[in-house]
Amino acid sequence: MSEKYSRMFTAADTSIIGMIESSIKHGWDMPAYSDYGTDVKYTYADVARKIAALHSLFRDLDIKKGDKIALCDKNSSNWAISYLAVLTYGAVVVPILSDFNQDQIKNIFKHSDSKLMIGRADLPVEPLLNLADWHMVKGYRSVGDYDFSFLKATDVKYFSENPEDVALISYTSGSTGHSKGVMLPYRSLWSNVMFADEVLGMKRGQNTMALLPMAHMYGMAFDFLYEFCITCHVHFLTKIPSPAIILQAFGDVKPKLVIAVPLIIEKIVQGKVFPILRTPRIKLLMKIPFMKGVIYKRIREQLIKAFGGEFYELIVGGAAFNKDVENLLADIHFPYTVGYGMTECGPIIGYEDWKRFVKGSCGKTAPRLEVQIDSEDPRNVPGEILVKGMNVMLGYYKNEADTAEALTGDGWLHTGDLGTMDRHGNIFIRGRKKTMLLGANGQNVYPEEIEDVILSNSYFEECVVVQRGEKLVALVYVSDEEMAQRGMTREGVKGDLNRYRGHLNKMLPKFANLSGMELQDEPFEKTPKRSIRRYLYS
């Protein structure tokens, strides 16, 4: 737990529904949600009254406790309210990433047995409640038909959940080719919210900024659910999060915590900081010992100011972090930390406060969990990361085969990630079990490690290492903007690939040497959480 804040919850807070109810009652007249840059604002009382109206609508639609209700749209206050309404009604939330295509959305709606979709008006399913205006599409009902303006804080009373019942079914982003419905029980949601309070302990009324897709567990748990449970004021960024928009929003909102995926941070650092460090004048000054410290201090101050200037730490998660960017953040003593999680744990598995965080790791085992490395030498030889405890899912919806493969009889979850753990308990991700390649000499090859070397020692912006027979080939991408900045052409880059390959191979072990490099014309296709869809490339 950080020294800056104190915890809000006590040992008696054992119910996620109870936490939501308590937050509404204690924060009644306080601001709860705002859509950044718009006039949309809700107090906790407004949220409670909208939840009551939605509950009435659900009853009139003959939706019962345990039925599934899907939710698909971009981030907004209305999205968050709908989620809370479904959860406190006792129905099962099925959040669907809005970046999925129409067929995927339709298939998930059908596979999940959802009785209602809440989302944008053009979705190809029925019945559908339009999130923008709260009207039923092709129906006569509207949330506005139910008047709960009389509702008082003392009237708010939700049901008491069974911790082992399914609260939510989250369909994975499909980076390995297909989506699976992860069944998360109420205990997992509770444990993740309690974790956030234990390690962050933010105060009531503080501002936060929600950037990440809330249909993904990382954003859902730590951009909105935890903050609501302790009566913070959440500002939703409803626009595409470009660096310019993000930096403007941070400056206006001044959040007390920054949650982000690596891509957001990398774009800001690579676009704003690295070009300055590459200038001849700064390169010269950096060679003077005391000036290097002065420059680093100035960069740190400017970066902190860029993120609003009032946050305790920046938490990065959801994908691998670019080594050059992380090295810079560590060198300038920026208050950042990298966490580890997955949908199947709702999501948290590993975390450490930035003051104790070890560069290159993804923290230590989170509370109420056990982590093991399936290796004879866990400190030195990568093995699959196994997780057991309160956060772990119940299984995959209507998918006994994948459930049996992922969960052991005694509750251990096979993450599919390969890692090591040092003597202090710090977890280091070494790659994905499913992406591990077998070299010609039988040596295990982890493509992510090769990609880190490539990206850290070249100007390539994205990279995927694939195996063709017994040969390793690196597929690389560099943007037109980057080439223009460097005075290069695409044909010129292609002509230099062999030279780059020779340079890179000197930094790689022989069994991981590249036989070829190919320049891609377009960025790699990615999942909504910005992970490359590796299965599309060979």
Side-chain angles (χ1 to χ4, degrees), residues 53 96 153 296 446 468:
I96 303 176
Y296 276 172
Y446 304 104
R468 295 174 182 169

Side-chain angles (χ1 to χ4, degrees), residues 179-428:
S179 291
K180 293 180 287 190
V182 177
M183 296 186 292
L184 291 172
Y186 291 98
R187 61 166 161 78
S188 179
L189 302 186
W190 169 83
S191 184
N192 273 274
V193 169
M194 185 63 84
F195 151 80
D197 189 56
E198 289 164 345
V199 301
L200 302 173
M202 295 178 65
K203 294 180 180 179
R204 289 193 171 105
Q206 291 182 324
N207 284 340
T208 64
M209 172 66 70
L211 303 175
L212 306 177
M214 292 195 297
H216 190 270
M217 288 309 304
Y218 183 28
M220 183 188 301
F222 306 129
D223 253 358
F224 124 78
L225 187 56
Y226 160 62
E227 285 82 354
F228 186 86
C229 285
I230 60 169
T231 58
C232 284
H233 182 187
V234 182
H235 299 257
F236 295 102
L237 190 66
T238 58
K239 300 178 181 178
I240 297 174
S242 69
I245 291 173
I246 289 172
L247 292 176
Q248 180 183 345
F250 280 140
D252 293 340
V253 174
K254 294 179 170 44
K256 297 298 181 180
L257 179 69
V258 179
I259 308 285
V261 292
L263 188 67
I264 291 174
I265 309 306
E266 289 163 5
K267 281 188 174 182
I268 292 171
V269 172
Q270 290 168 339
K272 303 290 184 181
V273 180
F274 283 169
I276 296 173
L277 292 175
R278 292 188 187 119
T279 60
R281 178 173 176 272
I282 296 298
K283 281 183 176 181
L284 182 62
L285 290 173
M286 290 284 283
K287 294 178 180 179
I288 306 172
F290 77 92
M291 283 304 299
K292 185 175 183 179
V294 172
I295 292 169
Y296 276 172
K297 182 181 178 182
R298 180 63 173 165
I299 291 173
R300 180 181 187 272
E301 290 172 349
Q302 289 300 309
L303 265 183
I304 289 174
K305 182 179 178 181
F307 287 106
E310 297 186 12
F311 64 98
Y312 173 69
E313 69 180 1
L314 161 68
I315 302 177
V316 182
F321 205 7
N322 177 276
K323 283 191 176 181
D324 281 350
V325 174
E326 183 173 7
N327 285 338
L328 175 69
L329 295 181
D331 288 344
I332 66 176
H333 303 293
F334 189 81
Y336 85 100
T337 186
V338 179
Y340 169 46
M342 60 190 302
T343 302
E344 286 84 346
C345 286
I348 200 66
I349 295 174
Y351 166 88
E352 181 59 284
D353 184 273
W354 77 271
K355 294 178 180 177
R356 297 179 294 276
F357 174 72
V358 175
K359 185 180 73 172
S361 77
C362 53
K364 298 176 181 176
T365 305
R368 292 170 295 282
L369 290 178
E370 299 174 60
V371 170
Q372 289 184 358
I373 307 296
D374 188 14
S375 167
E376 294 182 359
D377 184 6
R379 294 185 187 177
N380 301 299
V381 179
E384 186 175 10
I385 300 172
L386 307 178
V387 184
K388 183 178 183 179
M390 189 74 76
N391 297 12
V392 176
M393 68 171 181
L394 297 170
Y396 299 111
Y397 187 59
K398 297 194 298 189
N399 192 336
E400 294 182 3
D402 282 346
T403 298
E405 184 179 344
L407 288 172
T408 65
D410 54 354
W412 285 98
L413 171 69
H414 287 262
T415 65
D417 292 320
L418 296 168
T420 56
M421 184 184 292
D422 69 15
R423 63 189 181 90
H424 301 292
N426 294 297
I427 303 166
F428 295 82

Side-chain angles (χ1 to χ4, degrees), residues 469-484:
E470 296 181 351
K471 297 181 178 181
L472 299 175
V473 177
L475 311 179
V476 295
Y477 170 75
V478 58
S479 68
D480 291 337
E481 291 79 8
E482 181 69 16
M483 282 189 285

